Amino acid sequence: MLELSDIMETINMIQEENLDIRTITMGISLLDCADADIDVSCQKIYDKIYSHAKDLVKTGETIEKKYGIPIVNKRISVTPISMLVGVSGGDPVKYAKTLDKVAHDVGVNFIGGYSALVQKGFSAGDEALIDSIPRALAETELVCSSVNIGSTKAGINMDAVAKMGRIVKEAAELTKDRQCIGDAKLVVFCNAVEDNPFMAGAFHGVGEADCVISAGVSGPGVVRAALAKMPDDAPMNEIAEEIKRTAFKITRMGQMVGSEAAEMLGVKFGIVDLSLAPTPAIGDSVANVLEEIGLEQCGAPGTTAALAMLNDAVKKGGIMASSSVGGLSGAFIPVSEDQGMIDAAKSGCLTIEKLEAMTAVCSVGLDMIVIPGDTSAETISAIIADEAAIGMVNSKTTAVRVIPAIGYEDGDELDFGGLLGKGPVMRVNQVSPAKMIHRGGRIPAPLQSLKN
């Protein structure tokens, strides 16, 4: 039975501490939409997505009114489109425009799945889709793209890594009149998961049911507020326990909302992703949580240790609240979407090198980082390779979403608006990795025994 104090606590979390459901995401399989005629395939895709998702936004709004819980985004993820390109051939951008049209027509915020999985090599359709990504992101508004270039079992496809450095540069060039927004919708993964509800990396894996609803929670503001009430001399194990208790409450809310949305829409419930996802709102910041633990500013010595504890405590608390935890589940550190991270980057306390160290212990990787526009494609590829190596060796998901700011310099700022926020141009080491990147080939999968 709910106690009045529990109800009041939840109301306060929503009104004062920025608690929300970050997204409900409908995953839809498009495997039955494959056709040798790309135009026929596109029509099948439109019809299937529209029939499943036409009531998604209305359902989310109904739940918001019923419980008073904000659901910030309603999104769709689909089967990696490269699989359909391999059957139909033709210009893959036709698929992107179909996805964009149906996303607008059903009213969702984003649609993900303009994706390819090339961790061990390129299959039919993969290269065509990857080459089309810059045009697809420039000519659509709501489409998000991802490419998985490595895994713990397969190693790292360095030919794909080299290609993605060029793709990132081209996507920035084609959208330089719009704050280089194309790259804010493009993620390069190692160990990508099939049930991620968060953009821009969401796609609907082939092992998933035909149609599912998953939920992604938020809550860094709630965690920060809980820690602010603790004594300054509270030991770290007590800090971890408080984070666990708070994550449990947040995840229970996500489980309830996701399950009810699935029931109302008549589809299966997928997972709740219990990641702490920040926003540009003051106080709703993972960086601020780390500072509440005891750092003068995010990026200071001790940041990686504090983040490791936060990430682990969030997972331990959340896993007790739901039998269907999945996705990425941890703590996100997207620079432009987190006001505390923005402040730390501007002050010089937080560098890309420190962020890379932090990605070894959190979800997911180097995310929403604005870099100088003259950064070479080879340097971008090397950043991707470094991050993929962390994921490959540690059997975790890592990713890179960097935005070369064409025409901007160190200290300038790009402003994407909304949840994507704004970010300063961060310095990048310009010593060349070109010879390594041009070698291509594959970094072999790591040994999975005899570790020390």
Side-chain angles (χ1 to χ4, degrees):
M1 182 176 178
L2 283 175
E3 299 288 341
L4 179 61
S5 60
D6 294 329
I7 296 171
M8 294 305 297
E9 181 183 37
T10 302
I11 291 172
N12 185 62
M13 287 178 176
I14 293 168
Q15 294 182 342
E16 306 294 333
E17 298 164 6
N18 300 300
L19 179 61
D20 57 49
I21 300 298
R22 182 53 44 82
T23 181
I24 53 172
T25 301
M26 176 175 280
I28 303 172
S29 172
L30 300 183
L31 293 177
D32 56 349
C33 298
D35 195 280
D37 185 324
I38 191 170
D39 295 316
V40 172
S41 182
C42 285
Q43 187 60 53
K44 288 180 178 179
I45 287 171
Y46 182 93
D47 292 343
K48 182 168 186 180
I49 294 174
Y50 189 87
S51 66
H52 281 295
K54 63 182 185 299
D55 294 325
L56 177 61
V57 173
K58 182 173 69 175
T59 298
E61 292 170 347
T62 298
I63 294 172
E64 285 182 282
K65 291 176 183 177
K66 180 177 180 180
Y67 295 109
I69 299 170
I71 301 174
V72 179
N73 287 289
K74 295 84 176 174
R75 298 163 170 171
I76 297 169
S77 65
V78 299
T79 306
I81 292 296
S82 65
M83 296 181 178
L84 281 72
V85 177
V87 176
S88 67
D91 182 3
V93 176
K94 285 189 175 183
Y95 284 116
K97 291 183 175 180
T98 299
L99 295 177
D100 197 51
K101 176 173 171 49
V102 73
H104 276 99
D105 288 351
V106 301
V108 295
N109 304 95
F110 286 112
I111 185 165
Y114 199 75
S115 305
L117 310 178
V118 294
Q119 56 267 26
K120 207 168 184 179
F122 300 96
S123 61
D126 289 333
E127 286 196 272
L129 182 126
I130 292 172
D131 288 340
S132 76
I133 286 173
R135 279 197 305 125
L137 296 180
E139 296 175 20
T140 63
E141 183 181 0
L142 304 180
V143 172
C144 292
S145 178
S146 61
V147 178
N148 191 70
I149 51 81
S151 73
T152 298
K153 290 187 176 182
I156 300 173
N157 181 349
M158 292 300 291
D159 293 317
V161 167
K163 181 183 283 287
M164 289 311 301
R166 298 191 295 270
I167 293 299
V168 168
K169 285 282 287 187
E170 187 179 346
E173 285 283 357
L174 291 182
T175 56
K176 63 184 178 182
D177 60 332
R178 288 167 281 160
Q179 302 280 290
C180 305
I181 190 68
D183 281 321
K185 301 182 290 177
L186 172 60
V187 182
V188 185
F189 277 116
C190 178
N191 288 323
V193 297
E194 296 189 340
D195 55 2
N196 169 22
F198 286 104
M199 298 297 170
F203 64 88
H204 188 68
V206 296
E208 297 290 307
D210 190 62
C211 185
V212 300
I213 286 284
S214 295
V217 300
S218 177
V222 178
V223 175
R224 182 202 57 77
L227 297 185
K229 298 170 185 175
M230 299 191 70
D232 288 345
D233 60 351
M236 292 294 278
N237 56 296
E238 291 184 11
I239 296 289
E241 286 300 312
E242 185 60 29
I243 295 169
K244 284 165 58 179
R245 284 191 289 268
T246 306
F248 178 89
K249 297 170 188 175
I250 295 169
T251 307
R252 289 297 286 175
M253 189 178 73
Q255 170 84 17
M256 179 189 72
V257 169
S259 297
E260 182 146 346
E263 183 177 350
M264 291 174 66
L265 289 163
V267 301
K268 291 181 178 294
F269 175 64
I271 57 94
V272 55
D273 186 316
L274 50 90
S275 297
L276 291 185
T279 73
I282 301 299
D284 198 29
S285 158
V286 170
N288 290 163
V289 175
L290 300 176
E291 290 158 4
E292 200 65 58
I293 291 172
L295 303 171
E296 183 177 352
Q297 190 169 38
C298 180
T303 297
T304 305
L307 182 60
M309 184 195 69
L310 172 64
N311 202 58
D312 182 64
V314 165
K315 292 182 179 182
K316 286 175 177 174
I319 202 73
M320 295 299 293
S322 172
S323 59
S324 302
V325 169
L328 301 169
S329 290
F332 288 177
I333 52 171
V335 174
S336 77
E337 299 175 16
D338 185 310
Q339 187 60 50
M341 296 282 177
I342 294 168
D343 294 340
K346 284 182 175 179
S347 74
C349 185
L350 185 64
T351 64
I352 289 181
E353 288 78 13
K354 184 59 175 178
L355 281 163
E356 183 179 300
M358 293 163 66
T359 64
V361 299
C362 79
S363 307
V364 175
L366 296 173
D367 196 18
M368 288 303 290
I369 297 173
V370 183
I371 61 176
D374 61 357
T375 304
S376 69
E378 290 88 354
T379 295
I380 295 170
S381 292
I383 291 170
I384 292 169
D386 282 344
E387 197 59 33
I390 291 173
M392 176 184 70
V393 171
N394 291 288
S395 301
K396 71 183 292 290
T397 303
T398 52
V400 171
R401 183 165 46 150
V402 294
I403 301 99
I406 307 298
Y408 295 79
E409 299 177 351
D410 288 7
D412 291 342
E413 190 172 82
L414 292 186
D415 191 342
F416 308 106
L419 281 178
L420 294 176
K422 59 184 179 180
V425 179
M426 298 182 69
R427 183 193 64 82
V428 172
N429 188 328
Q430 297 295 337
V431 178
S432 177
K435 182 176 179 180
M436 171 187 167
I437 297 303
H438 291 159
R439 289 182 184 276
R442 184 164 59 91
I443 293 178
L447 187 68
Q448 291 301 294
S449 60
L450 300 179
K451 284 190 175 184
N452 60 23

